């Protein structure tokens, strides 16, 4: 939301490279990176060489392929410590995970997206592909809609004018009027629903965690659609709201 202009473009290019490598399960070669990012080989190579020098990227000499470097781990751990909500909420998230058996996410708002800062996997063999550090759009995710529902209508309208509403699935709400109606319902109910709007076959329920009226985080429960009966949905809503109250109580102490 900031209007601050960047100082040069090298850092932005470097972040694009790091973001790309973070999404890859296997090391990738220089040409693949250049093609995917639509950037010249000379530019990418110079940035990669610098990133390798400081340990942010690792180059395998035999294959000449690149992956993220281990130096980033310490930064990630330090960043997690800055989110005190993780330590405050962790016990309640574990209990929620045990009670429901489905995937639990803790998220934080960052630049028009929700970033996963904690994930507890479901008890079943089916593991959702979300990862800590990944982010989701506000308009089509349960945590994002829970965040938007707490904002003034003018703020929401400015957001909708600023972002492109992409049809991620056939269920995604891309009509601004329909989305505003959905956010009003979310505000009234106290929880948000993502019914396959962000990802096919995944149903998600989320709520905000506030301290003195300020959102400190978002908590969600995600499940494959086929396991989401109406009885289970109501159970999740009840337990999720209880976890919200418990965490907010701890934040006030």
């Amino acid at each position: 939301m900031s209007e601050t202009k960047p100082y040069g473009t090298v850092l932005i290019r470097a972040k694009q490279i790091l973001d790309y490598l973070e999404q890859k399960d296997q090391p990738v070669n220089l040409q693949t990176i250049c093609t995917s990012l639509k950037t010249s080989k000379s530019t990418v190579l110079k940035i990669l060489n610098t990133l390798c020098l400081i340990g942010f990227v690792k180059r395998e000499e035999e294959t000449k392929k690149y992956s993220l470097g281990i130096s980033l781990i310490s930064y990630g751990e330090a960043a997690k410590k800055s989110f005190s909500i993780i330590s405050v909420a962790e016990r309640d998230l574990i209990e929620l995970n045990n009670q429901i058996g489905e995937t639990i996410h803790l998220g934080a708002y960052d630049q028009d997206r929700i970033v996963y800062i904690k994930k507890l996997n479901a008890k079943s063999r089916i593991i959702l592909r979300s990862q800590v550090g990944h982010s989701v759009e506000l308009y089509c995710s349960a945590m994002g809609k829970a965040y938007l529902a707490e904002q003034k209508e003018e703020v929401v309208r400015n957001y909708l004018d600023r972002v492109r509403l992409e049809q991620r699935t056939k269920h995604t709400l891309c009509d601004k009027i329909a989305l505003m109606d959905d956010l009003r319902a979310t505000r009234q109910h106290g929880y948000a629903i993502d019914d396959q709007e962000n990802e096919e076959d995944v149903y998600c329920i989320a709520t905000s965690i506030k301290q003195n009226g300020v959102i400190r985080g978002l908590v969600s429960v995600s499940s494959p659609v086929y396991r989401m009966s109406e009885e289970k949905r109501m159970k999740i809503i009840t337990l999720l709201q209880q976890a919200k109250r418990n965490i907010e109580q701890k934040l006030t102490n």
Side-chain angles (χ1 to χ4, degrees):
M1 292 186 178
S2 174
E3 298 297 327
T4 301
K5 294 182 179 180
Y7 179 71
T9 60
V10 175
L11 284 177
I12 293 176
R13 291 291 187 189
K15 182 181 184 302
Q16 290 172 344
I17 293 172
L18 293 174
D19 288 345
Y20 177 76
L21 294 177
E22 192 269 336
Q23 297 289 335
K24 299 300 173 183
D25 295 328
Q26 300 293 331
V28 292
N29 61 36
L30 175 62
Q31 186 58 56
T32 300
I33 299 172
C34 296
T35 302
S36 300
L37 299 181
K38 299 178 180 179
T39 305
S40 69
K41 184 177 291 187
S42 60
T43 298
V44 172
L45 183 57
K46 289 176 183 177
I47 296 173
L48 280 171
N49 287 340
T50 302
L51 292 173
C52 288
L53 182 66
I54 60 179
F56 284 11
V57 169
K58 177 178 67 176
R59 181 178 185 266
E60 298 179 353
E61 294 305 321
E62 292 184 2
T63 63
K64 295 181 172 55
K65 291 184 177 181
Y66 298 87
S67 59
L68 292 181
I70 60 174
S71 294
L72 290 172
I73 295 175
S74 61
Y75 288 93
E77 290 301 314
K80 284 170 62 178
K81 292 177 183 177
S82 68
F83 290 103
S84 60
I85 184 68
I86 296 178
S87 58
V88 173
E90 187 167 26
R91 182 172 296 182
D92 291 286
L93 299 183
I94 292 173
E95 183 175 355
L96 189 62
N97 182 244
N98 290 334
Q99 291 172 319
I100 299 172
E102 299 293 354
T103 303
I104 309 297
H105 291 109
L106 178 64
Y109 172 83
D110 182 51
Q111 299 183 33
D112 285 348
R113 297 180 72 87
I114 298 297
V115 180
Y116 297 125
I117 59 176
K118 179 77 176 179
K119 178 185 180 183
L120 299 174
N121 286 322
K123 304 299 183 181
S124 69
R125 294 182 180 179
I126 298 178
I127 304 299
L128 300 185
R129 61 186 180 183
S130 56
Q131 296 181 35
V132 171
H134 286 188
S135 63
V136 290
E137 298 283 359
L138 301 181
Y139 69 92
C140 60
S141 65
M143 285 196 290
K145 290 198 288 183
Y147 176 87
L148 287 174
E150 298 285 352
Q151 309 306 308
K152 294 180 179 179
E153 193 160 303
E154 180 183 0
V155 173
V156 177
R157 292 190 184 280
N158 288 338
Y159 161 76
L160 294 178
D161 289 338
R162 186 168 61 249
V163 301
R164 180 184 175 189
L165 304 183
E166 296 182 355
Q167 194 78 45
R168 295 182 59 84
T169 75
K170 63 183 180 182
H171 305 281
T172 307
L173 291 177
C174 291
D175 180 83
K176 293 181 180 180
I177 295 176
L179 187 55
M180 290 295 291
D181 288 341
D182 186 73
L183 294 177
R184 292 187 187 100
T186 295
R187 192 177 302 113
Q188 182 179 2
H189 296 148
Y191 58 86
I193 297 294
D194 158 17
D195 187 358
Q196 306 179 76
E197 296 163 49
N198 183 59
E199 186 177 348
E200 291 283 0
D201 302 319
V202 177
Y203 191 100
C204 187
I205 305 173
T207 190
S208 62
I209 303 296
K210 293 189 289 186
Q211 181 182 26
N212 299 323
V214 177
I215 295 178
R216 293 289 306 279
L218 297 305
V219 178
S220 70
V221 178
S222 300
S223 167
V225 170
Y226 77 88
R227 288 208 297 258
M228 186 61 72
S229 64
E230 181 60 22
E231 179 182 359
K232 185 171 184 177
R233 193 178 82 93
M234 296 309 299
K235 177 182 178 181
I236 290 174
I237 291 170
T238 299
L239 293 174
L240 183 61
Q241 290 179 327
Q242 180 61 57
K244 167 188 171 73
R245 290 191 291 271
N246 290 346
I247 297 169
E248 288 182 339
Q249 180 63 39
K250 292 176 183 178
L251 287 171
T252 60
N253 292 339

